Amino acid sequence: MFGEVCDMDRRINENDIYNRPLTCEKCGGIMIFKGVGEYHCENCRHVEYDDYGKVRLYVEKHRGATSSEVSMQTGVSQKAIRQMLKENRLEITQDSAAFLRCEVCGASIRGGRLCPKCEMDYHRRMEDEQRRQSKMQGFGKAMEEEEGAKRFHRNY
């Protein structure tokens, strides 16, 4: 029970990194999520944006902006911007001098955590592990097969 509560708290705190508006700053109404970081007040229809929405709008208007420039203009922390890049919510433009590094091999990448090669290797390993797990269906000691008998016997 306690572990479940801690996991729930951690998920809530992770979601708060983008400063999602919950109540309208004009009338106090409830903000309804409309997509891509945009929220509308259910009462007065006032529009507000979470951090992702602010960054996305700024980057659309100012292609090639650096993370420090985006941070200064939007008020969103550079940590949150890096998190958006790692989550593949944003991507660094091809002509940019800035880049991210693959967390496995160190190759230059434009978004995410892994380069395409390492990501493919990761997924192959996961598929292999799933195949191994599915082959290990039985447990315990195999019994002699008799009609109507259990295939495996549990040893307690």
Side-chain angles (χ1 to χ4, degrees):
M1 176 72 180
F2 180 70
E4 294 172 18
V5 173
C6 289
D7 289 342
M8 186 169 54
D9 288 342
R10 188 174 67 243
R11 283 192 302 264
I12 290 169
N13 289 336
E14 287 171 357
N15 291 339
D16 288 345
I17 192 170
Y18 298 127
N19 297 316
R20 294 182 173 108
L22 301 175
T23 58
C24 179
E25 61 186 28
K26 294 203 180 235
C27 72
I30 296 173
M31 299 302 286
I32 307 297
F33 179 69
K34 293 297 183 178
V36 290
E38 186 174 316
Y39 296 77
H40 293 205
C41 175
E42 69 178 355
N43 296 334
C44 69
R45 300 290 179 220
H46 173 69
V47 178
E48 289 186 40
Y49 296 93
D50 63 11
D51 288 351
Y52 171 69
K54 292 174 191 175
V55 170
R56 186 173 175 272
L57 285 174
Y58 187 82
V59 170
E60 283 178 356
K61 292 178 183 174
H62 304 91
R63 289 189 54 85
T66 64
S67 65
S68 60
E69 179 185 341
V70 173
S71 179
M72 286 186 338
Q73 296 299 320
T74 61
V76 177
S77 71
Q78 286 192 25
K79 179 180 177 182
I81 294 170
R82 278 192 304 275
Q83 184 66 29
M84 290 176 209
L85 287 165
K86 287 183 176 187
E87 291 174 355
N88 263 336
R89 294 174 137 237
L90 299 173
E91 191 174 271
I92 297 172
T93 58
Q94 288 182 337
D95 59 342
S96 176
F99 54 88
L100 296 173
R101 294 250 182 227
C102 172
E103 292 180 359
V104 175
C105 71
S108 298
I109 55 177
R110 294 174 35 202
R113 295 181 179 274
L114 304 174
C115 68
K117 181 184 176 290
C118 291
E119 189 170 4
M120 191 180 310
D121 290 344
Y122 171 77
H123 288 292
R124 281 188 185 141
R125 281 194 306 261
M126 294 301 291
E127 288 172 359
D128 290 345
E129 182 64 28
Q130 287 175 349
R131 273 191 227 113
R132 267 189 242 115
Q133 293 293 329
S134 67
K135 287 180 182 178
M136 297 171 45
Q137 293 173 7
F139 57 89
K141 190 176 180 181
M143 295 175 51
E144 293 181 22
E145 290 194 29
E146 298 176 16
E147 192 171 327
K150 293 182 180 178
R151 184 172 171 193
F152 292 95
H153 176 67
R154 290 186 184 166
N155 296 326
Y156 291 108

Short mmCIF file of all heavy atoms in Angstrom, two decimals, residues 134-155:
data_model
loop_
_atom_site.label_atom_id
_atom_site.label_comp_id
_atom_site.label_asym_id
_atom_site.label_seq_id
_atom_site.Cartn_x
_atom_site.Cartn_y
_atom_site.Cartn_z
N SER A 134 8.38 -16.16 -22.29
CA SER A 134 7.23 -16.93 -22.75
C SER A 134 7.57 -18.42 -22.87
O SER A 134 6.70 -19.27 -22.74
CB SER A 134 6.70 -16.40 -24.07
OG SER A 134 7.64 -16.62 -25.11
N LYS A 135 8.83 -18.75 -23.10
CA LYS A 135 9.24 -20.16 -23.17
C LYS A 135 9.28 -20.80 -21.80
O LYS A 135 9.17 -22.01 -21.67
CB LYS A 135 10.61 -20.28 -23.84
CG LYS A 135 10.58 -20.04 -25.32
CD LYS A 135 11.95 -20.17 -25.93
CE LYS A 135 11.89 -19.87 -27.41
NZ LYS A 135 13.23 -19.95 -28.02
N MET A 136 9.42 -20.00 -20.76
CA MET A 136 9.48 -20.51 -19.39
C MET A 136 8.08 -20.53 -18.79
O MET A 136 7.82 -19.92 -17.77
CB MET A 136 10.43 -19.67 -18.55
CG MET A 136 11.86 -19.70 -19.04
SD MET A 136 12.97 -18.54 -18.25
CE MET A 136 12.58 -18.70 -16.55
N GLN A 137 7.17 -21.24 -19.43
CA GLN A 137 5.78 -21.25 -18.98
C GLN A 137 5.57 -22.11 -17.75
O GLN A 137 4.82 -21.77 -16.87
CB GLN A 137 4.87 -21.74 -20.10
CG GLN A 137 4.83 -20.80 -21.26
CD GLN A 137 4.07 -21.40 -22.41
OE1 GLN A 137 3.47 -22.45 -22.29
NE2 GLN A 137 4.10 -20.73 -23.54
N GLY A 138 6.20 -23.27 -17.72
CA GLY A 138 5.98 -24.19 -16.62
C GLY A 138 6.88 -23.87 -15.45
O GLY A 138 7.80 -23.07 -15.54
N PHE A 139 6.62 -24.51 -14.32
CA PHE A 139 7.46 -24.34 -13.15
C PHE A 139 7.43 -25.63 -12.36
O PHE A 139 6.52 -26.45 -12.53
CB PHE A 139 7.04 -23.15 -12.30
CG PHE A 139 5.62 -23.22 -11.83
CD1 PHE A 139 5.31 -23.85 -10.65
CD2 PHE A 139 4.60 -22.68 -12.59
CE1 PHE A 139 4.00 -23.92 -10.22
CE2 PHE A 139 3.29 -22.75 -12.17
CZ PHE A 139 2.99 -23.38 -10.97
N GLY A 140 8.40 -25.83 -11.54
CA GLY A 140 8.44 -27.03 -10.72
C GLY A 140 9.03 -28.20 -11.48
O GLY A 140 9.66 -28.04 -12.51
N LYS A 141 8.79 -29.40 -11.01
CA LYS A 141 9.36 -30.62 -11.56
C LYS A 141 8.33 -31.28 -12.49
O LYS A 141 7.17 -31.44 -12.12
CB LYS A 141 9.71 -31.54 -10.40
CG LYS A 141 10.51 -32.73 -10.76
CD LYS A 141 10.86 -33.46 -9.49
CE LYS A 141 11.68 -34.68 -9.80
NZ LYS A 141 12.00 -35.42 -8.58
N ALA A 142 8.77 -31.67 -13.68
CA ALA A 142 7.86 -32.33 -14.61
C ALA A 142 7.50 -33.71 -14.09
O ALA A 142 8.33 -34.41 -13.53
CB ALA A 142 8.53 -32.44 -15.99
N MET A 143 6.23 -34.09 -14.27
CA MET A 143 5.77 -35.40 -13.81
C MET A 143 5.62 -36.32 -15.01
O MET A 143 5.55 -35.87 -16.15
CB MET A 143 4.41 -35.25 -13.11
CG MET A 143 4.48 -34.45 -11.85
SD MET A 143 2.87 -34.17 -11.12
CE MET A 143 2.16 -35.77 -11.03
N GLU A 144 5.57 -37.61 -14.73
CA GLU A 144 5.29 -38.55 -15.80
C GLU A 144 3.88 -38.29 -16.29
O GLU A 144 2.97 -38.04 -15.51
CB GLU A 144 5.39 -39.99 -15.26
CG GLU A 144 6.77 -40.40 -14.88
CD GLU A 144 6.79 -41.83 -14.37
OE1 GLU A 144 5.86 -42.60 -14.70
OE2 GLU A 144 7.73 -42.15 -13.65
N GLU A 145 3.74 -38.32 -17.60
CA GLU A 145 2.43 -38.00 -18.16
C GLU A 145 1.48 -39.17 -18.02
O GLU A 145 1.76 -40.28 -18.46
CB GLU A 145 2.57 -37.59 -19.63
CG GLU A 145 3.24 -36.25 -19.79
CD GLU A 145 3.06 -35.71 -21.19
OE1 GLU A 145 2.06 -36.01 -21.86
OE2 GLU A 145 3.95 -34.96 -21.61
N GLU A 146 0.41 -38.95 -17.35
CA GLU A 146 -0.68 -39.91 -17.23
C GLU A 146 -1.93 -39.21 -17.70
O GLU A 146 -2.05 -38.00 -17.59
CB GLU A 146 -0.84 -40.36 -15.78
CG GLU A 146 0.37 -41.06 -15.22
CD GLU A 146 0.16 -41.39 -13.75
OE1 GLU A 146 -1.00 -41.35 -13.27
OE2 GLU A 146 1.16 -41.66 -13.08
N GLU A 147 -2.85 -39.94 -18.17
CA GLU A 147 -4.08 -39.33 -18.65
C GLU A 147 -4.79 -38.63 -17.50
O GLU A 147 -5.01 -39.21 -16.45
CB GLU A 147 -5.00 -40.40 -19.26
CG GLU A 147 -6.14 -39.76 -20.02
CD GLU A 147 -6.92 -40.80 -20.80
OE1 GLU A 147 -6.32 -41.78 -21.27
OE2 GLU A 147 -8.13 -40.60 -20.93
N GLY A 148 -5.09 -37.37 -17.66
CA GLY A 148 -5.77 -36.57 -16.65
C GLY A 148 -4.87 -36.06 -15.55
O GLY A 148 -5.33 -35.40 -14.64
N ALA A 149 -3.56 -36.32 -15.62
CA ALA A 149 -2.64 -35.87 -14.57
C ALA A 149 -2.12 -34.47 -14.88
O ALA A 149 -2.10 -34.04 -16.03
CB ALA A 149 -1.46 -36.84 -14.45
N LYS A 150 -1.68 -33.78 -13.85
CA LYS A 150 -1.06 -32.47 -14.04
C LYS A 150 0.27 -32.64 -14.75
O LYS A 150 0.97 -33.64 -14.54
CB LYS A 150 -0.83 -31.78 -12.69
CG LYS A 150 -2.08 -31.41 -11.97
CD LYS A 150 -1.71 -30.71 -10.69
CE LYS A 150 -2.93 -30.32 -9.91
NZ LYS A 150 -2.56 -29.69 -8.65
N ARG A 151 0.62 -31.65 -15.55
CA ARG A 151 1.89 -31.71 -16.26
C ARG A 151 3.06 -31.42 -15.34
O ARG A 151 4.13 -31.98 -15.48
CB ARG A 151 1.86 -30.74 -17.43
CG ARG A 151 3.09 -30.81 -18.27
CD ARG A 151 2.96 -29.98 -19.50
NE ARG A 151 4.25 -29.93 -20.16
CZ ARG A 151 4.56 -29.12 -21.11
NH1 ARG A 151 3.66 -28.26 -21.54
NH2 ARG A 151 5.75 -29.12 -21.65
N PHE A 152 2.88 -30.49 -14.40
CA PHE A 152 3.95 -30.10 -13.48
C PHE A 152 3.48 -30.26 -12.05
O PHE A 152 2.30 -30.14 -11.75
CB PHE A 152 4.37 -28.65 -13.73
CG PHE A 152 5.05 -28.44 -15.04
CD1 PHE A 152 4.32 -28.02 -16.14
CD2 PHE A 152 6.39 -28.69 -15.18
CE1 PHE A 152 4.93 -27.85 -17.36
CE2 PHE A 152 7.00 -28.51 -16.39
CZ PHE A 152 6.28 -28.09 -17.50
N HIS A 153 4.42 -30.51 -11.19
CA HIS A 153 4.14 -30.68 -9.78
C HIS A 153 4.92 -29.63 -9.00
O HIS A 153 6.11 -29.45 -9.21
CB HIS A 153 4.57 -32.09 -9.34
CG HIS A 153 4.39 -32.32 -7.87
ND1 HIS A 153 3.16 -32.38 -7.27
CD2 HIS A 153 5.31 -32.51 -6.89
CE1 HIS A 153 3.31 -32.58 -5.97
NE2 HIS A 153 4.61 -32.65 -5.73
N ARG A 154 4.25 -28.93 -8.11
CA ARG A 154 4.92 -27.90 -7.31
C ARG A 154 5.64 -28.56 -6.14
O ARG A 154 5.09 -29.41 -5.45
CB ARG A 154 3.90 -26.91 -6.74
CG ARG A 154 3.32 -26.03 -7.78
CD ARG A 154 2.46 -24.99 -7.13
NE ARG A 154 1.83 -24.21 -8.18
CZ ARG A 154 0.82 -23.40 -7.98
NH1 ARG A 154 0.30 -23.27 -6.78
NH2 ARG A 154 0.31 -22.70 -8.96
N ASN A 155 6.87 -28.12 -5.95
CA ASN A 155 7.64 -28.60 -4.81
C ASN A 155 7.63 -27.53 -3.74
O ASN A 155 8.18 -26.46 -3.92
CB ASN A 155 9.09 -28.88 -5.22
CG ASN A 155 9.17 -30.00 -6.23
OD1 ASN A 155 8.38 -30.93 -6.19
ND2 ASN A 155 10.12 -29.90 -7.14
#
